[in-house]
């Protein structure tokens, strides 16, 4: 069977919009455009207004702008056509139908345009994954994190490490035929020192991975405290909607409620939890409390709410806890310790003070994270494997075994950028893409 390597897809979202974008990529793309436009000629990189006709019936489908990119000077590295049509469901459907009449073109798989770009060496895998992250980005910090890698920041770093290894490896391989006493001892020593330096550089780099995870997955905030202190009230106020039920009946919030929001450009996942009523004998309430404590233990920041001095449990307060003394609209001036913020969620008194402390804490947790290049768990795994091989290589006195471990170490780094890849890895990466990218 002949493989069809010209692909097409709608690259913008399906639905009503100002403009919809179709992409066609592969050797047949120019001919398809030529046929759709009833024989019009297109110069590379020049956008042209054209009518689009059905290739069989010659019925007018839409008037649109079209551009032809001559490969390799295109996103995919192949000859590529882009059509900017009216953003109408009927137009989109009719163009899909029209394109499906071309025997030498087929509908693209998820991420297949980007896969072509990778296979044509237009992008490496760190850039490919950064593009997927950029498309998924919802906050300013996620955008920044992804963008630096789309521009090749990670590629530069990992390629430089791999080059260092390849140089040492080349020397080892060239020395395999030497006898032990012919080996210049100082070179072996220098190489081993360079490898040790590289290990500590990689170890330092791995430490930054948690920052990237915070940006990508979001910072976890838990609201905890006894029943009825106002936890659900502050949860609703922070997220800006009445998601949690507020009532003066203790034990109203039995299960945890979650919401995600953008605070000053950072993704924050906030949980309202069941009141910590240690005296309860109610089975479901007990379960809720266990869950609340579990959420609190995993949180990056805790908002611990109280409404009475005597009920404060010092054990619940650590460096990541903001303690709020709520309902001050009802109470006389209390002499509170400095680290406890008096507040009224109901009247809004001292809200700004709380908000400033809260957002400062968020920012301090996220600081500098946007410069991080280690954005995927798979890089971390490969780098840890690389370190293991390097450690063996340093210890190894037999030169051929040293070389073998260096090769394995450099292949681990090569797998990050895609210099070394296997199809399963590509399938895994590209299946997370949307259609048309
Ligand atoms: N006077 C006053 N009442 C509040 C304040 N915040 C919450 N409440 C009330 O306290 C009760 C319990 O609130 P809720 O948010 O459900 O507390 P939770 O059990 O900790 O989630 C409700 O009747 C709220 O209206 C406040 O700042 N001042
Ligand atoms: Mg509640």
């Amino acid at each position: 069977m002949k493989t069809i390597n010209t692909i097409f897809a709608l690259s913008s979202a399906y639905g009503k919009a100002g403009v919809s974008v179709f992409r066609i990529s592969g050797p047949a793309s120019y001919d398809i455009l030529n046929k759709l436009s009833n024989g019009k000629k297109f110069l590379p990189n020049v956008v042209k207004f054209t009518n689009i006709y059905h290739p069989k019936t010659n019925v007018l489908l839409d008037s649109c702008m079209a551009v032809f990119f001559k490969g390799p000077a295109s996103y995919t590295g192949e000859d590529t056509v882009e059509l900017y049509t009216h953003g109408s469901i009927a137009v989109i459907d009719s163009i899909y139908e029209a394109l499906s009449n071309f025997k030498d073109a087929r509908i693209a798989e998820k991420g297949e345009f980007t896969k072509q770009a990778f296979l044509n060496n237009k992008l490496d895998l760190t850039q490919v994954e950064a593009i997927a992250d950029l498309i998924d980005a919802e906050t300013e910090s996620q955008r920044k994190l992804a963008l630096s890698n789309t521009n090749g920041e990670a590629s530069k770093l990992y390629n430089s490490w791999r080059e260092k290894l390849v140089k040492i490896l080349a020397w080892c391989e060239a020395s395999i035929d030497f006898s032990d006493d012919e080996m210049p001892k100082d070179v072996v020593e220098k190489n081993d020192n360079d490898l040790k330096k590289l290990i500590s550089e990689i170890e330092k780099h791995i430490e930054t991975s948690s920052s990237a995870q915070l940006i990508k997955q979001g910072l976890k905030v838990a609201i905890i405290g006894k029943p009825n202190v106002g936890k659900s009230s502050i949860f609703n106020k922070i997220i800006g909607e009445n998601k949690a039920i507020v009532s003066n009946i203790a034990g109203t919030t039995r299960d945890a409620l979650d919401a995600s929001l953008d605070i000053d450009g950072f993704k924050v996942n906030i949980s309202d939890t069941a009141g910590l009523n240690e005296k309860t004998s109610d089975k479901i309430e007990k379960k809720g409390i266990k869950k609340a404590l579990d959420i609190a233990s995993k949180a990056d920041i805790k908002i611990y709410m109280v409404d009475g001095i005597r009920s404060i449990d010092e054990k619940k307060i650590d460096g990541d806890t903001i303690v709020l003394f709520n309902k001050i609209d009802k109470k006389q001036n209390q002499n509170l310790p400095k680290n406890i913020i008096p507040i009224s969620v109901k009247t809004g008194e001292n809200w700004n003070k709380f908000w400033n402390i809260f957002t400062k804490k968020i920012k301090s947790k996220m600081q500098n994270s946007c410069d991080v290049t280690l954005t995927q768990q798979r890089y971390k795994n490969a780098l840890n494997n690389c370190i293991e091989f390097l450690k063996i290589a340093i210890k190894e006195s037999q030169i051929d075994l040293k070389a073998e471990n260096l090769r394995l170490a450099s292949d681990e780094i090569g797998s990050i950028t895609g210099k070394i890849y296997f199809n399963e890895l590509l399938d895994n990466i590209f299946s997370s893409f949307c259609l048309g990218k």
Side-chain angles (χ1 to χ4, degrees), residues 17-201:
V19 177
S20 286
V21 182
F22 274 89
R23 195 181 258 161
I24 310 164
S25 170
S29 23
Y30 185 87
D31 289 344
I32 292 173
L33 174 62
N34 184 259
K35 183 95 180 93
L36 286 174
S37 60
N38 250 352
K40 252 198 185 135
K41 298 223 168 357
F42 289 82
L43 292 172
N45 304 334
V46 180
V47 183
K48 205 167 183 174
F49 178 80
T50 182
N51 284 337
I52 294 288
Y53 302 92
H54 194 279
K56 288 223 165 105
T57 60
N58 222 23
V59 167
L60 178 66
L61 302 178
D62 193 19
S63 306
C64 73
M65 304 298 285
V67 61
F68 168 64
F69 300 103
K70 179 88 195 122
S74 68
Y75 175 70
T76 61
E78 304 282 325
D79 283 359
T80 301
V81 164
E82 282 181 10
L83 303 176
Y84 310 105
T85 68
H86 290 101
S88 129
I89 289 175
V91 170
I92 293 171
D93 289 347
S94 74
I95 291 182
Y96 256 127
E97 199 282 319
L99 287 169
S100 64
N101 282 280
F102 291 94
K103 293 278 169 288
D104 43 3
R106 64 172 167 81
I107 196 155
E109 288 165 17
K110 279 177 166 187
E112 199 174 358
F113 294 102
T114 308
K115 191 175 181 177
Q116 282 187 339
F118 167 72
L119 294 173
N120 285 327
N121 290 321
K122 301 287 287 187
L123 301 168
D124 74 9
L125 285 185
T126 65
Q127 291 171 304
V128 164
E129 286 167 310
I131 289 170
D133 282 350
L134 189 58
I135 292 172
D136 284 340
E138 291 171 335
T139 64
E140 174 75 2
S141 56
Q142 289 172 331
R143 182 184 64 76
K144 282 188 187 158
L145 183 72
L147 203 59
S148 69
N149 278 4
T150 60
N151 291 333
E153 282 308 311
S155 326
K156 249 190 271 168
L157 179 71
Y158 299 137
N159 284 335
S160 75
W161 287 347
R162 189 160 179 269
E163 274 161 29
K164 269 187 199 167
L165 286 181
V166 169
K167 256 189 209 156
I168 300 177
L169 174 62
W171 187 84
C172 285
E173 282 177 337
S175 325
I176 283 176
D177 296 331
F178 291 178
S179 70
D180 269 2
D181 8 306
E182 280 173 319
M183 295 276 285
K185 289 274 173 300
D186 52 335
V187 182
V188 177
E189 206 170 287
K190 186 185 173 300
N191 282 345
D192 283 350
N193 280 337
D194 285 350
L195 293 177
K196 279 178 201 158
K197 262 189 231 152
L198 183 60
I199 289 178
S200 62
E201 213 177 313

Side-chain angles (χ1 to χ4, degrees), residues 227-228 230-233 244-247 249 251-254 272-275:
N228 244 334
K231 298 182 298 301
S232 296
S233 304
I245 300 171
V246 169
S247 101
I249 303 166
T252 300
T253 311
R254 295 188 141 209
D272 179 23
T273 64

